[in-house]
Amino acid sequence: MAEETTEKMEELVEETTEAPEKTELEVAQEQLEELENKYLRAVAEMQNIQRRANEERQSLQKYRSQDLAKKIFPSLDNLERALAVEGLTEDVKKGLEMVQESLIQALKEEGIEEVATDGAFDPNFHMAIQTQPADEDHPADTIAQVFQKGYKLHERVLRPAMVVVYN
Amino acid sequence: MAEETTEKMEELVEETTEAPEKTELEVAQEQLEELENKYLRAVAEMQNIQRRANEERQSLQKYRSQDLAKKIFPSLDNLERALAVEGLTEDVKKGLEMVQESLIQALKEEGIEEVATDGAFDPNFHMAIQTQPADEDHPADTIAQVFQKGYKLHERVLRPAMVVVYN
């Protein structure tokens, strides 16, 4: 009876340590493979982070002036209105123009320019606030009048030009 | 003789495969350790890149308006000069003040403010372009007059104020 028990136990031990159990070397090799994949993923992720950071930095640099610029447009509008007043003395006019030019120059140096309004109406750059009947000299979808100038920074529109369109 | 040779060869084989040679398991374990270090370094490096990118982004955001702002200061100087001209009509004066206020407001919203000049002279914020003798009412190292306003963005001076100092 005692011998039988021992035999059964031996069988049991053999069963649990055999087939399903891997050798230490196999375990180590599996771990190695797993870790190698983890490492490669980490390197790929690192390159992704670096790339995204570079893209973000470039974009931030490129559009860095847009917020301040947007806030300056009303000043330019005011200057334009002031310059349209009749009866300004030459001195005052000159002074206003100097301020205007220096602001436009400052914006230009940061990549901000007026939206062109001398061609066809383009909803990407212009906002139609009124229409006017087209005729032979004025084809439909061309700009009749500019109410307020628009501005863009590189290809990005910061403020569309407010225009009257022939239609 | 033949037996002796065999014995010697066995000894030789044992010598070369023993001590200096590592088992496959040992090699795998060493590789595991090495790779683990490599992986941990990659993770640390990744965190560094992420941290640096965040810092850089924050700094770019914080100071994004400084370049355009610097270019706008001369316009503000011109406006101030224009407003100092005598004999302006009320309308013109109002118009100039409106432009001035809207520019100052735009800068303020971006964190840019005038450098204070009502206290002691501070070389971090002021540039002395002239001196004036101090007296009982005007202690040394205080500001006598402001020639040109200075501006700062958060704690960073974008342009020092040009002042006359008592000394």
Side-chain angles (χ1 to χ4, degrees):
Chain A
M1 167 102 181
E3 219 169 283
E4 222 183 78
T5 312
T6 312
E7 243 171 67
K8 266 197 180 165
M9 273 188 72
E10 264 169 19
E11 249 172 67
L12 213 71
V13 169
E14 233 166 76
E15 252 176 35
T16 41
T17 54
E18 237 184 27
E21 201 69 29
K22 290 156 189 162
T23 68
E24 262 190 280
L25 179 61
E26 279 169 343
V27 168
Q29 277 165 343
E30 266 175 31
Q31 284 176 334
L32 247 176
E33 204 177 320
E34 210 176 292
L35 195 53
E36 192 141 291
N37 285 332
K38 249 171 99 178
Y39 172 70
L40 290 176
R41 277 199 301 273
V43 169
E45 177 68 5
M46 193 155 68
Q47 287 165 342
N48 266 337
I49 289 171
Q50 190 99 66
R51 187 179 46 71
R52 276 199 305 267
N54 283 342
E55 284 171 2
E56 205 178 356
R57 182 175 47 239
Q58 276 169 19
S59 172
L60 274 172
Q61 278 285 3
K62 194 172 175 187
Y63 299 112
R64 69 186 185 283
S65 298
Q66 69 174 9
D67 293 322
L68 180 52
K70 280 181 187 172
K71 288 166 188 157
I72 284 168
F73 299 152
S75 307
L76 276 172
D77 300 337
N78 282 333
L79 273 169
E80 223 152 311
R81 260 175 241 128
L83 273 164
V85 169
E86 290 197 16
L88 294 177
T89 67
E90 266 315 295
D91 275 5
V92 169
K93 209 178 159 187
K94 244 184 171 167
L96 287 173
E97 280 170 349
M98 250 180 83
V99 176
Q100 187 187 36
E101 276 159 32
S102 66
L103 279 180
I104 289 170
Q105 184 57 29
L107 291 171
K108 201 175 176 179
E109 282 172 29
E110 289 297 298
I112 297 149
E113 289 188 272
E114 257 182 52
V115 160
T117 47
D118 50 2
F121 172 75
D122 181 344
N124 294 311
F125 294 104
H126 311 128
M127 187 188 272
I129 52 162
Q130 225 174 283
T131 58
Q132 210 163 299
D135 57 34
E136 272 183 23
D137 292 334
H138 306 99
D141 286 329
T142 58
I143 291 166
Q145 203 187 324
V146 180
F147 264 20
Q148 195 181 61
K149 284 180 177 170
Y151 295 94
K152 60 185 174 128
L153 171 54
H154 306 299
E155 79 298 342
R156 186 183 287 183
V157 175
L158 299 185
R159 186 174 88 170
M162 276 156 67
V163 298
V164 180
V165 189
Y166 289 113
N167 80 338
Chain B
M1 169 94 184
E3 221 168 282
E4 222 181 80
T5 313
T6 312
E7 242 170 66
K8 266 199 180 160
M9 274 189 71
E10 264 171 18
E11 250 171 65
L12 213 72
V13 169
E14 232 165 76
E15 251 177 35
T16 41
T17 54
E18 237 184 25
E21 201 70 30
K22 289 158 190 162
T23 66
E24 262 189 281
L25 178 62
E26 279 169 341
V27 169
Q29 277 166 344
E30 266 175 31
Q31 284 176 334
L32 248 178
E33 205 176 319
E34 210 175 291
L35 195 55
E36 191 139 292
N37 285 332
K38 248 171 97 180
Y39 173 70
L40 290 176
R41 278 199 302 273
V43 168
E45 178 66 7
M46 194 155 68
Q47 288 165 343
N48 267 336
I49 289 171
Q50 190 100 65
R51 187 179 44 70
R52 276 199 306 268
N54 282 341
E55 283 170 4
E56 206 179 355
R57 182 173 48 237
Q58 276 169 19
S59 173
L60 274 172
Q61 278 285 2
K62 195 173 174 186
Y63 298 114
R64 69 186 185 281
S65 298
Q66 70 174 9
D67 293 321
L68 179 52
K70 279 181 186 172
K71 288 166 188 157
I72 285 168
F73 300 151
S75 306
L76 276 172
D77 299 338
N78 281 334
L79 273 170
E80 224 153 308
R81 261 175 240 128
L83 275 164
V85 170
E86 290 198 14
L88 295 177
T89 68
E90 265 314 296
D91 275 4
V92 169
K93 209 178 161 189
K94 244 183 171 167
L96 287 174
E97 279 170 349
M98 247 179 87
V99 176
Q100 187 187 36
E101 275 160 32
S102 67
L103 280 180
I104 290 170
Q105 183 58 27
L107 292 171
K108 201 175 177 182
E109 281 171 29
E110 289 296 298
I112 297 149
E113 289 188 89
E114 256 181 52
V115 160
T117 47
D118 49 1
F121 172 76
D122 181 343
N124 293 312
F125 294 104
H126 311 128
M127 187 189 272
I129 53 161
Q130 224 174 283
T131 57
Q132 211 164 299
D135 57 35
E136 273 184 20
D137 292 335
H138 306 101
D141 285 329
T142 58
I143 291 165
Q145 203 188 323
V146 180
F147 266 22
Q148 194 181 63
K149 284 179 178 171
Y151 295 94
K152 62 185 172 120
L153 171 55
H154 305 300
E155 77 298 343
R156 186 182 286 183
V157 175
L158 299 185
R159 187 175 87 172
M162 277 157 66
V163 298
V164 181
V165 188
Y166 289 113
N167 79 339

